[in-house]
Amino acid sequence: MKLYSYFRSSAAYRVRIALNLKELEHDIVPVNLLKSEQQGDDYLQKNVQGLLPALETEEGVLGQSLAILEWLDETTDHAPLISGNAWQKAQIRNLAYAIAVDIHPLNNLRVLKYLTNELQVTEEQKTTWYQDWITTGFDKVEKMLGDGPFCFGDTPTLADVCLIPQVYNALRFKTPMENYPKIMAIYTHCNTLKAFSDAAPEQQIDAQ
């Protein structure tokens, strides 16, 4: 498999974690978002959406991180990301979607570029926008968490795979995190695992 990735892409970060957890062999193919390489003809032939990540498999190419993560879970037995009874699976998805659907899209690079280039907001205003949507989301996520080492139970799930990249970016944008002790405890614990630490942006071959 080939994962088309950018080191700071939160969505690609999720897939890197999952591939590592499942111990699946794969190659990383860097695509530079800052240089708009995702809009190049070669990449668009693989992923018509022109977004990252994309996972190239023997069956074809998938280009949405949540679809990739669920496909990986359905096609492999090792390190399941969504497990338990129907209610428990729904709870895992509920938290994962609260992050990947409600928080992340408002703060991805396309939105930040639009704020800067089209609306001509200042760097300070852009940071305020970013931090506001993070805290709005994390205020709710913190209340959804228990006291375990992971979001649910004693093993990483889809929720952890989505949470850790979002926390990484929150810290990158200097979002105050003192109100989120459960989130930070999970973030710290997950990063003691090699699957998470190896997927971190600074460990990638295209890290700048």
Side-chain angles (χ1 to χ4, degrees):
M1 290 188 290
K2 292 181 180 179
L3 177 64
Y4 294 85
S5 171
Y6 178 64
F7 77 111
R8 279 184 176 160
S9 164
S10 298
Y13 191 172
R14 296 171 196 154
V15 179
R16 295 195 302 260
I17 294 170
L19 290 168
N20 291 345
L21 285 170
K22 292 179 173 295
E23 300 178 357
L24 294 172
E25 291 187 10
H26 62 281
D27 294 324
I28 298 287
V29 181
V31 179
N32 193 317
L33 293 180
L34 296 182
K35 296 180 179 179
S36 298
E37 290 179 354
Q38 78 280 10
Q39 296 298 321
D41 290 341
D42 289 345
Y43 184 72
L44 288 173
Q45 289 179 9
K46 297 183 180 297
N47 181 4
V48 295
Q49 288 183 288
L51 301 172
L52 289 178
L55 185 69
E56 187 172 359
T57 77
E58 292 181 352
E59 298 184 61
V61 178
L62 279 174
Q64 283 287 336
S65 66
L66 293 178
I68 292 170
L69 294 170
E70 296 217 25
W71 178 80
L72 289 172
D73 222 35
E74 291 177 4
T75 55
T76 59
D77 295 325
H78 183 64
L81 301 177
I82 305 171
S83 61
N85 59 35
W87 179 252
Q88 291 167 328
K89 291 178 179 178
Q91 291 300 300
I92 292 170
R93 288 188 173 98
N94 185 59
L95 183 52
Y97 297 170
I99 299 161
V101 177
D102 291 339
I103 301 175
H104 173 246
L106 289 161
N107 285 332
N108 69 21
L109 185 60
R110 286 190 299 168
V111 171
L112 298 182
K113 279 186 173 182
Y114 187 85
L115 289 172
T116 301
N117 298 333
E118 304 298 329
L119 300 184
Q120 297 185 337
V121 305
T122 66
E123 284 298 310
E124 182 179 359
Q125 289 171 322
K126 184 178 76 172
T127 299
T128 298
W129 165 281
Y130 195 102
Q131 292 178 347
D132 183 70
W133 289 115
I134 287 287
T135 56
T136 297
F138 278 3
D139 285 347
K140 310 302 187 297
V141 169
E142 181 75 9
K143 295 175 182 177
M144 298 164 71
L145 296 170
D147 297 318
F150 299 103
C151 292
F152 295 98
D154 297 325
T155 58
T157 67
L158 182 69
D160 301 283
V161 168
C162 289
L163 178 63
I164 271 53
Q166 199 64 68
V167 176
Y168 182 96
N169 281 342
L171 295 172
R172 179 177 163 233
F173 278 83
K174 297 180 170 50
T175 306
M177 298 295 290
E178 60 268 15
N179 291 331
Y180 312 116
K182 292 180 180 179
I183 289 175
M184 289 308 298
I186 292 169
Y187 179 75
T188 301
H189 180 70
C190 283
N191 281 313
T192 65
L193 304 181
K194 185 174 174 58
F196 284 86
S197 61
D198 283 355
E202 60 269 17
Q203 299 302 319
Q204 304 313 300
I205 57 175
D206 57 333
Q208 300 172 5

